[in-house]
Amino acid sequence: VLLAYVGRLAREKGMHVLLGAMHEVRRRAGNRVAFAMVGDGPADAQCRAGAPDGTAFTGKLTGRELSEAYASADLFAFPSITETFGNVVLEAMASGLAVIAPDIGATTEYATPATTVQFAGRDPSSLADQVIGLADDAALRSRVGAAGLAMARARTWDAIFDQLVLDYREAVAVSQTAREMSAMRR
């Protein structure tokens, strides 16, 4: 089973959580789980030095190569709790991967318990537990991947902008109602 991380290799992305989980998975599951890290960044050297032996580092990939990296993986782990969106999570979902994401942070807007397997953010052991659980259960990987794919398919620009228009209309209606209520009290 191949566990992939895609993104910047940077401290704020929770690399210490991911690396800690990877070591724990290796201790508990042996070589049943392989690791790949796709990306580059200021923590590249620290990640290479701190990753379990045999971890594949691809550097930054784009286009077809990036698509092939997602397609080659079975699991996707995302340790960051500081994201404002986390596009790579949505990309992994769109690739049909079983995603493991933190239970806190902005990605919980779409990386929910219904679409991903969540782990206790900041906790390498919790992340390791979820990786091993998914590695050992192909049916669960398939269900989580399918749920994520359905979520990704619904996250089109048209759907996002349609929701934004509805949100604006609701805000205007609430404001109008408040003004009318205020005028009636006078």
Side-chain angles (χ1 to χ4, degrees):
V1 174
L2 178 59
L3 171 69
Y5 166 81
V6 177
R8 284 189 68 244
L9 304 181
R11 190 174 146 257
E12 69 272 10
K13 300 291 186 176
M15 294 294 97
H16 65 288
V17 173
L18 179 60
L19 294 171
M22 289 165 60
H23 279 286
E24 189 168 333
V25 168
R26 181 59 47 87
R27 278 192 303 276
R28 291 171 46 197
N31 290 326
R32 290 189 332 230
V33 179
F35 308 108
M37 297 186 77
V38 177
D40 62 11
D44 185 87
Q46 295 93 333
C47 288
R48 288 176 187 270
D53 288 340
T55 300
F57 285 85
T58 68
K60 182 180 178 180
L61 300 177
T62 60
R64 183 179 178 95
E65 289 179 323
L66 180 58
S67 296
E68 289 171 351
Y70 280 116
S72 298
D74 301 293
L75 302 172
F76 179 83
F78 191 72
S80 179
I81 60 171
T82 62
E83 293 304 307
T84 55
F85 183 74
N87 196 53
V88 294
V89 174
L90 199 56
E91 289 172 355
M93 292 170 140
S95 299
L97 293 175
V99 172
I100 307 163
D103 63 355
I104 55 176
T107 58
T108 60
E109 178 185 335
Y110 54 92
T112 68
T115 61
T116 63
V117 171
Q118 292 184 324
F119 73 96
R122 298 188 188 99
D123 184 353
S125 291
S126 177
L127 176 53
D129 289 342
Q130 302 303 352
V131 168
I132 292 169
L134 281 168
D136 290 342
D137 191 338
L140 179 58
R141 279 197 312 273
S142 180
R143 285 193 305 274
V144 172
L149 180 57
M151 166 61 77
R153 284 182 172 146
R155 297 289 295 203
T156 65
W157 282 114
D158 285 343
I160 290 167
F161 285 124
D162 288 348
Q163 185 59 54
L164 179 63
V165 169
L166 290 174
D167 291 345
Y168 284 153
R169 286 181 178 159
E170 181 181 346
V172 168
V174 167
S175 176
Q176 181 66 30
T177 301
R179 274 188 260 131
E180 290 170 0
M181 297 293 284
S182 178
M184 289 172 47
R185 286 187 218 127
R186 291 185 196 155

